[in-house]
């Protein structure tokens, strides 16, 4: 994800030029990591641009803010509207949309809860996660950095500070020549990627860690679980050992940015024959058709980015001729 190539950013009710979207250097969020955010994608569809699972992302954002005691001056409907307005103002598809809730006014002191809670929303051009590897398969490294236990930092709230952990794991994997990291939980079970949930396939069954592995409960994960069940695959959420991952037939990541991306190798262990397996491809196929608006079954997962309501000119009234 690169620099924000965007025109307008929504900040507390106004669409401002990107260059003017600034906050104070003494803002609470910058110092203590107490902010919450979302990553959302908008896709081109035959009916125009559409946002994938908007209500689910807004609900998670509201829940994350609530957990961190950030009283929001906006309702869920207003946040959804701000996201749609930002997407429309920038006319970018596919796009990656980033709403963030933060305290940006000068307020030092870790327990400081004073100061306005703000919402900003940006939309930037969305790239394919890891480019070519997103199709041919990602090489992932089991990270030496483990997920913090949710009793320390809850994984189900998507908070800024959680990403210190993802950052360390991600750069460690990159320095070792891998595309991505897979983090274990405090008990050594498989948890998730730096910004993705992880699935594996063994003997025709799909497995993924559950909430007890200190994962973010991904919106894409829920979509994949639904698609997998509808395709008739057995799906099991359970604690997964490293061994089960290293000897899996197939594995894949799910996430808003990663979408559905095959994993072909984990810490030098080649999975299956080193190419995306048939079940992974089956799920990818339905997922990518869904986001492009080609799967009527999941049409309700897409929120159209409708043009602004305009006053429709009324036809001139004609004098009665009869
Ligand atoms: N885990 C982590 C740590 C993440 O940052 C993300 C990305 N939001 C995910 C999983 C996947 O979640 P989603 O499918 O909702 O994007």
């Amino acid at each position: 994800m690169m620099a924000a190539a965007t025109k307008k950013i929504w900040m507390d009710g106004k669409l401002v030029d990107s260059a003017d979207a600034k906050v104070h250097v003494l803002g609470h969020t910058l110092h203590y990591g107490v902010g919450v955010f979302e990553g959302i994608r908008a896709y081109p569809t035959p009916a125009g641009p559409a946002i994938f699972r908007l209500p689910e992302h807004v609900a998670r954002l509201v829940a994350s803010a609530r957990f961190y005691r950030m009283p929001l001056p906006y309702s869920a409907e207003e946040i959804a509207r701000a996201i749609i307005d930002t997407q429309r103002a920038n006319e970018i598809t596919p796009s990656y949309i980033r709403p963030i809730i933060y305290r940006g006014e000068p307020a030092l002191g870790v327990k400081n809860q004073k100061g306005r809670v703000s919402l900003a929303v940006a939309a930037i051009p969305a790239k394919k996660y890891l480019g070519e590897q997103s199709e041919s398969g990602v090489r992932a490294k089991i990270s030496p950095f483990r997920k913090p236990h949710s009793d320390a930092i809850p994984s189900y709230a998507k908070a800024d500070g959680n990403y210190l952990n993802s950052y360390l794991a991600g750069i460690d994997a990159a320095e070792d020549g891998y595309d991505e990291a897979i983090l274990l939980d405090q008990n050594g079970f498989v948890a998730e990627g730096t910004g993705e949930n992880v699935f594996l396939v063994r003997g025709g069954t799909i497995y993924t860690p559950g909430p007890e592995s200190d994962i973010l409960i991904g919106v894409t994960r829920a979509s994949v679980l639904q698609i997998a069940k509808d395709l008739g695959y057995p799906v099991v959420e359970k604690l997964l050992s490293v061994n089960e991952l290293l000897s899996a037939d197939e594995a894949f990541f799910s996430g808003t940015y990663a979408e559905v991306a095959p994993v072909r190798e984990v810490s030098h262990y080649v999975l299956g024959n080193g190419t995306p397996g048939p079940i992974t491809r089956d799920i990818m196929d339905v997922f990518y058709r869904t986001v492009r608006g080609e799967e009527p079954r999941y049409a309700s997962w897409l929120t159209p980015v409708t043009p602004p309501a305009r006053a429709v000119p009324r036809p001139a009234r004609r004098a009665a001729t009869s």
Side-chain angles (χ1 to χ4, degrees), residues 86-118:
T86 309
Q87 169 60 33
R88 193 191 298 126
N90 287 286
E91 292 172 346
I92 303 165
T93 32
S95 76
Y96 179 85
I97 307 169
R98 167 58 57 83
I100 182 162
I101 292 169
Y102 61 98
R103 283 198 176 89
E105 289 175 344
L108 286 191
V110 72
K111 287 181 295 193
N112 202 336
Q113 287 192 288
K114 298 199 189 89
R116 171 185 181 144
V117 174
S118 289

Side-chain angles (χ1 to χ4, degrees), residues 170-183:
I171 57 171
D172 170 77
E175 280 169 4
D176 275 358
Y178 288 92
D179 306 309
E180 186 50 287
I182 293 178
L183 293 88

Side-chain angles (χ1 to χ4, degrees), residues 39 57 60 147 158 163 166 192-197 216-221 254-256:
H57 282 287
R60 190 171 65 187
K147 294 282 301 179
K158 193 170 165 62
Y163 289 84
S166 289
E192 61 183 349
T194 63
E196 309 85 24
N197 292 114
L216 181 74
I217 309 296
V219 172
T220 322
R221 176 183 181 276
S254 75
T256 297

